[in-house]
Amino acid sequence: MTKLSVNINKIATLRNSRGGDVPNVVQFAKDVQRFGAEGVTIHPRPDERHIRYQDAYDLKTEVYTEYNIEGNPIPKFVDMVLKIKPTQVTLVPDAVDAITSNAGWDTLKHKDFLIDVIKEFKNNGIRTSIFVDPDLHQIEGAKATGTDRIELYTEAYAHQYRLGNKDAINPYMECAGLANTMQLGINAGHDLSLENIKFFKENITGLLEVSIGHALIAESLYLGVENVIAMYLDRLK
């Protein structure tokens, strides 16, 4: 069964829009785990416009499933991850002004940099994952960095699936096949939803984990968080 990690950035966005501490991100993380989520994901950015660096520290003792911290490995981020020692760190090459992640790593161009960063994290017992586009050359490049896993960037799949183009799954299937051959673990995330997750799961062999935030929170406005988590878990069986 593929694990569901809930990205709680949108809860922090809602909190920050009003000030104060409502909704409380730590309590929300505790609740989604109680409802069955097998992990909690956060993605702190330098401007702290949603998840704050202090949130990352506050969550350390409250995430008892899997704790996944995403981000661009700038020095401040690396220092924080090494202090917290989450279950997994997912490296994402987002620009400072990016609204949301919009591209995977060029694992060939940035090979040496990624090797150094990943070695540091793995020496500290932290599982590593690299956010990548569904491109066979980038999967090969990821393997050369020493990472434990890749996270397939699924925006293109989600967009095309919504238009009725199920063939959009094909490059992801090819990349998953190559990753499995090279013994790279496979995660996935970005714009996955109740609408498209089942088809993705059924076609991606060896899918270990999906990280879902925006869609899950939006769906929960209508259906309730506990119900939505149960619906995802059913689709991921």
Side-chain angles (χ1 to χ4, degrees), residues 10 12 19 22 59 88 107 120 137 140 147 149-150 154 166 168 193 214 216:
K10 283 296 182 292
V22 177
L59 287 161
Q88 176 176 268
T107 58
E120 182 73 12
H137 296 298
E140 292 171 346
T147 190
R149 297 186 183 186
I150 54 169
T154 50
K166 293 187 176 180
S193 67
H214 182 81
L216 187 150

Side-chain angles (χ1 to χ4, degrees), residues 1-5 36 38 149 186-188 192 197 200-202 204-212 232-237:
M1 181 173 171
T2 304
K3 289 185 176 181
L4 170 66
S5 185
E38 295 127 326
R149 297 186 183 186
I186 303 169
N187 298 340
L192 295 175
I197 189 64
F200 190 83
K201 156 67 177 175
E202 289 173 343
I204 302 301
T205 302
L207 182 62
L208 298 175
E209 173 188 298
V210 292
S211 175
I212 305 178
Y232 273 103
L233 293 175
D234 181 65
R235 286 160 170 76
L236 290 168
K237 287 180 180 176

Side-chain angles (χ1 to χ4, degrees), residues 25 31 34 38 58 66 82 91-92 96 115 123 129 139 141 146 169 174 177 186 194-195 210 215 230 235:
V25 295
D31 288 339
R34 180 166 56 88
E38 295 127 326
D58 293 343
E66 290 206 350
L82 292 176
L91 307 182
V92 184
V96 173
I115 286 174
N123 284 344
S129 180
I139 307 303
I169 195 70
E174 293 173 358
I186 303 169
L194 286 174
E195 176 187 17
V210 292
R235 286 160 170 76

Side-chain angles (χ1 to χ4, degrees), residues 4-225:
L4 170 66
S5 185
V6 176
N7 185 316
I8 63 173
N9 277 23
K10 283 296 182 292
I11 300 303
T13 301
L14 183 59
R15 173 199 63 188
N16 296 352
S17 70
R18 187 65 180 263
D21 198 29
V22 177
N24 183 282
V25 295
V26 173
Q27 184 59 50
F28 192 82
K30 292 163 69 174
D31 288 339
V32 297
Q33 291 174 100
R34 180 166 56 88
F35 295 152
E38 295 127 326
V40 173
T41 292
I42 61 170
H43 188 146
R45 287 184 165 86
D47 62 6
E48 299 187 290
R49 63 180 179 269
H50 34 63
I51 285 291
R52 299 168 182 154
Y53 274 63
Q54 186 57 50
D55 293 327
Y57 290 100
D58 293 343
L59 287 161
K60 175 178 170 61
T61 57
E62 304 299 338
V63 179
Y64 55 84
T65 52
E66 290 206 350
Y67 191 12
N68 174 43
I69 302 181
E70 301 179 340
N72 194 326
I74 61 175
K76 181 180 178 181
F77 179 87
V78 171
D79 182 62
M80 177 194 66
V81 171
L82 292 176
K83 289 177 180 176
I84 294 174
K85 290 186 170 59
T87 316
Q88 176 176 268
V89 57
T90 300
L91 307 182
V92 184
D94 45 29
V96 173
D97 59 349
I99 295 175
T100 186
S101 304
N102 53 22
W105 283 96
D106 184 333
T107 58
L108 304 175
K109 180 179 179 180
H110 300 289
K111 175 183 175 181
D112 291 340
F113 171 72
L114 290 169
I115 286 174
D116 290 343
V117 172
I118 288 166
K119 183 178 180 180
E120 182 73 12
F121 288 140
K122 292 180 72 171
N123 284 344
N124 282 271
I126 305 167
R127 188 174 73 221
T128 60
S129 180
I130 299 178
F131 194 61
V132 291
D133 297 317
D135 178 284
L136 294 175
H137 296 298
Q138 298 304 328
I139 307 303
E140 292 171 346
K143 177 63 177 179
T145 68
T147 190
D148 299 297
R149 297 186 183 186
I150 54 169
E151 179 175 329
L152 292 170
Y153 173 35
T154 50
E155 181 182 16
Y157 159 76
H159 176 70
Q160 290 299 318
Y161 186 92
R162 190 163 54 248
L163 298 176
N165 178 18
K166 293 187 176 180
D167 287 343
I169 195 70
N170 292 342
Y172 294 88
M173 293 172 62
E174 293 173 358
C175 286
L178 178 60
N180 286 322
T181 298
M182 296 189 297
Q183 297 183 314
L184 270 178
I186 303 169
N187 298 340
H190 204 93
D191 286 350
L192 295 175
S193 67
L194 286 174
E195 176 187 17
N196 61 42
I197 189 64
K198 184 175 177 62
F199 184 76
F200 190 83
K201 156 67 177 175
E202 289 173 343
N203 286 279
I204 302 301
T205 302
L207 182 62
L208 298 175
E209 173 188 298
V210 292
S211 175
I212 305 178
H214 182 81
L216 187 150
I217 301 305
E219 292 155 349
S220 296
L221 293 175
Y222 292 93
L223 302 172
V225 179

